[in-house]
Amino acid sequence: MTSFASQIWTLTQARQITARTHLVLQALASFQGHRGLFPSHESIAARAGCSTRTVIRALEAAYS
């Protein structure tokens, strides 16, 4: 099984996600811990240095 970080890198290199989406997903991954992965859009935005709307768009792109 590959790590989430390596999957993000592979998608970025294959140009399947943008650099901004890459940053958002890295920020999301940084919240991973013992209690799961449930940060708010605002928390992800603050860590990624972008707007909440950018986080929402990036997550929608990643889901598809």
Side-chain angles (χ1 to χ4, degrees):
M1 178 189 284
T2 39
S3 72
F4 186 60
S6 67
Q7 290 174 343
I8 295 169
W9 180 253
T10 300
L11 291 172
T12 303
Q13 292 303 302
R15 298 184 188 257
Q16 294 179 333
I17 61 173
T18 64
R20 179 62 70 183
T21 299
H22 178 98
L23 289 174
V24 168
L25 293 177
Q26 279 187 313
L28 176 63
S30 73
F31 286 96
Q32 192 169 8
H34 299 293
R35 291 187 272 172
L37 189 61
F38 302 105
S40 67
H41 291 148
E42 292 80 11
S43 296
I44 298 168
R47 196 162 289 182
C50 61
S51 70
T52 303
R53 183 66 195 133
T54 298
V55 169
I56 293 168
R57 281 193 301 264
L59 292 175
E60 287 172 348
Y63 290 142
S64 61

